[in-house]
Amino acid sequence: MTTRPGDPTTPLPLPRFPADFVWGASTAAYQIEGAAEEDGKGPSIWDTFVGRPGAVRDGHTGAVACAHYHRYAEDVALMRRLGLDAYRFSISWPRVLPSGAGRVEQRGLDFYDRLVDALLAAGIEPTPTLFHWDLPQALEDEGGWLARDTAYRFGEYAAVVAERLGDRVRRWITLNEPFVHMSFGYGYGVHAPGRAMLLDAVPVAHHQLLGHGLAVAALRAAAGPDAQVLIANNCSPVRLRSDAASEADRLAADAYDTLHNRLFNDPLLTGRYPDLSAYGLTDPGWGGIVRDDDLSVIAAPLDGLGINYYNPSWITAPADPASGLPFDLTEPEQAYRRTAFDWPVVPDGLTELLLGLKARYGTALPPVWITENGCSEPAGLDDAARVGYLGAHIGAVAEALAQGVDVRGYFTWSLLDNFEWAEGYHQRFGLVEVDFATQARTPRASFAWYRDLIASQKP
Ligand code: IFM
């Protein structure tokens, strides 16, 4: 029998990771909390978007999701059984500031207060992300991330949260996947807020990054000198479709790498934007969007770079020069195993990505954290394919470590089956199966595998 890259394997034992390597799992507020209208929470752009006909498969919404808002204690108990060192969750901005700014809803903060205390009591390090795509609708009404003011509101929100939780939370993540939020939310319109502006969406990148920089300053001011601040960038190694690629294909691949990876990593790590002339942006101030001193705010030193990795991107030159984009996203020629989402399983892409970051940024690259990695697989408890996926990707991290990349932790996506954005509940990423009719949680085979892996890595 021939095996393809990414086929399930029996991945244990893995090499020994550093003793202080952090093993975690990730989730996000809108995907698990539910309680969309409880305790004074304001509407977010996702609460609005799910009501748009056809926006989400089968009209699913996150109104109830995993009811984690009410069942968080049960979920923390699952995390404890798993032996997690850390748990990455996100804070719902409109739960804390129902209108995005101004009046603080204490009941919203109280929820995160309880969650943080429950995690600490279970010996699990809380690792909150401040923005995982659920912008307060009131700010969207003022232009969302197309408006520079949203960056300032984000900095103020970061200060409010840090003042409440900063005495107990040591590690913070500002934004989740600003590339995906820009491109899916504003470029293609397949995520909230559902604007299809293609390249006119690029200012969203700058305003998110400016918000990140302002949040770094606010977190350091309010949470003290021990606070560690990261961002979670979705990164994808860019591959050519075939060995016979043309010069036009190579230019297209460079352009895609610039948009997906460098637009978000370069300003953070080098204080400069990459050359965006492939996107028609030749003015360094992008026509008034990038102002004096913005880049020094954005490039504030980071304690770590979070990387969310799912698969490489295969690029060719655009088949239709009138497409409006300088690249075409295409499919690999090689027959990789596919997840239920039909994403190719390419573990060595993670090693390639990590080595590429080190080669590109050298000493400017802070310690790296894998803040998301995982797969959607068919429903059911015997998820051997997920075990194979995780083993192969954790092995890919071990390979990068062996080659000198300073990787400090790995968070799998996801702890629980949850609301997978435009796919609703049709994609299941959880180590724990959730029955959305009863809210029953049942650990899968991958849960036991990850638990044993974590235990085997402890001194
Ligand atoms: O579910 C998402 C998550 O919210 C962001 N990163 C990718 C995951 C899988 O699509």
Side-chain angles (χ1 to χ4, degrees):
M1 192 180 90
T2 50
T3 56
R4 297 156 304 173
D7 274 339
T9 54
T10 311
L12 281 177
L14 283 162
R16 182 159 279 286
F17 281 68
D20 57 357
F21 194 84
V22 172
W23 298 98
S26 294
T27 64
Y30 188 76
Q31 296 182 269
I32 66 165
E33 283 180 3
E37 295 181 1
E38 290 183 43
D39 289 344
K41 177 182 163 292
S44 80
I45 56 173
W46 270 94
D47 293 307
T48 306
F49 186 69
V50 296
R52 193 189 271 196
V56 176
R57 217 169 134 190
D58 289 339
H60 290 170
T61 82
V64 176
C66 306
H68 172 78
Y69 189 76
H70 297 292
R71 292 174 175 260
Y72 73 93
E74 181 183 352
D75 294 335
V76 172
L78 282 165
M79 295 176 217
R80 184 180 217 155
R81 271 172 67 189
L82 201 45
L84 292 187
D85 296 316
Y87 171 53
R88 175 179 174 235
F89 58 99
S90 81
I91 294 182
S92 160
W93 185 347
R95 211 180 268 300
V96 174
L97 289 146
S99 306
R103 188 181 65 78
V104 175
E105 175 50 79
Q106 295 300 332
R107 290 172 294 176
L109 279 174
D110 291 346
F111 167 67
Y112 297 108
D113 208 83
R114 293 193 293 277
L115 176 61
V116 162
D117 283 346
L119 289 165
L120 291 172
I124 299 167
E125 175 128 48
T127 308
T129 301
L130 291 172
F131 180 67
H132 198 126
W133 304 347
D134 47 352
L135 189 76
Q137 180 61 41
L139 295 184
E140 172 62 18
D141 296 342
E142 303 292 318
W145 287 108
L146 289 162
R148 184 179 173 91
D149 274 356
T150 298
Y152 296 106
R153 300 296 84 79
F154 185 63
E156 292 158 11
Y157 154 61
V160 167
V161 176
E163 263 155 38
R164 182 69 178 269
L165 303 179
D167 57 335
R168 285 153 292 153
V169 170
R170 201 167 57 101
R171 189 171 301 120
W172 300 85
I173 297 176
T174 55
L175 305 175
N176 179 70
E177 299 185 352
F179 165 74
V180 178
H181 191 54
M182 173 191 79
S183 54
F184 284 23
Y186 292 78
Y188 297 116
V190 294
H191 279 184
R195 303 195 191 208
M197 308 169 68
L198 284 183
L199 294 177
D200 289 340
V202 172
V204 168
H206 182 67
H207 295 147
Q208 288 185 94
L209 289 166
L210 181 61
H212 155 85
L214 294 165
V216 172
L219 290 168
R220 296 213 189 283
D226 292 341
Q228 293 185 10
V229 188
L230 286 67
I231 186 171
N233 270 347
N234 179 296
C235 292
S236 176
V238 176
R239 294 186 175 179
L240 293 164
R241 184 148 191 277
S242 80
D243 293 342
S246 66
E247 186 53 22
D249 292 326
R250 280 178 224 290
L251 284 173
D254 275 355
Y256 187 75
D257 186 32
T258 296
L259 189 71
H260 191 138
N261 299 308
R262 296 189 58 184
L263 178 59
F264 295 90
N265 289 329
D266 281 18
L268 293 168
L269 303 181
T270 72
R272 285 185 301 277
Y273 277 113
D275 176 2
L276 292 169
S277 50
Y279 297 96
L281 299 174
T282 47
D283 163 27
W286 302 355
I289 298 290
V290 182
R291 300 199 191 154
D292 289 351
D293 299 331
D294 284 1
L295 280 157
S296 60
V297 174
I298 292 170
L302 281 174
D303 301 293
L305 178 66
I307 297 294
N308 295 0
Y309 171 76
Y310 289 92
N311 47 253
S313 303
W314 281 268
I315 300 297
T316 58
D320 172 7
S323 73
L325 293 172
F327 56 82
D328 275 352
L329 273 164
T330 180
E331 291 294 331
E333 284 174 332
Q334 197 173 344
Y336 292 99
R337 187 180 85 74
R338 298 273 173 163
T339 69
F341 220 146
D342 201 29
W343 294 353
V345 179
V346 191
D348 67 9
L350 181 51
T351 313
E352 176 188 339
L353 172 65
L354 294 170
L355 294 177
L357 286 167
K358 186 171 160 66
R360 179 170 281 166
Y361 297 110
T363 54
L365 183 69
V368 173
W369 296 72
I370 308 304
T371 36
E372 280 184 30
N373 174 245
C375 55
S376 164
E377 298 296 346
L381 299 178
D382 183 11
D383 56 345
R386 181 172 287 106
V387 171
Y389 181 104
L390 294 178
H393 285 79
I394 292 169
V397 175
E399 180 59 29
L401 267 164
Q403 293 196 44
V405 185
D406 182 5
V407 189
R408 300 284 175 92
Y410 175 92
F411 291 73
T412 191
W413 184 272
S414 182
L415 178 73
L416 304 170
D417 287 345
N418 59 50
F419 176 80
E420 177 55 30
W421 308 115
E423 287 286 306
Y425 297 98
H426 290 290
Q427 302 295 341
R428 292 178 175 266
F429 278 87
L431 301 185
V432 176
E433 181 172 81
V434 176
D435 177 332
F436 292 103
T438 63
Q439 292 296 345
R441 275 87 160 129
T442 313
R444 296 195 163 104
S446 56
F447 180 99
W449 179 84
Y450 196 47
R451 178 198 62 207
D452 292 350
L453 166 73
I454 296 171
S456 75
Q457 292 291 334
K458 295 299 168 196

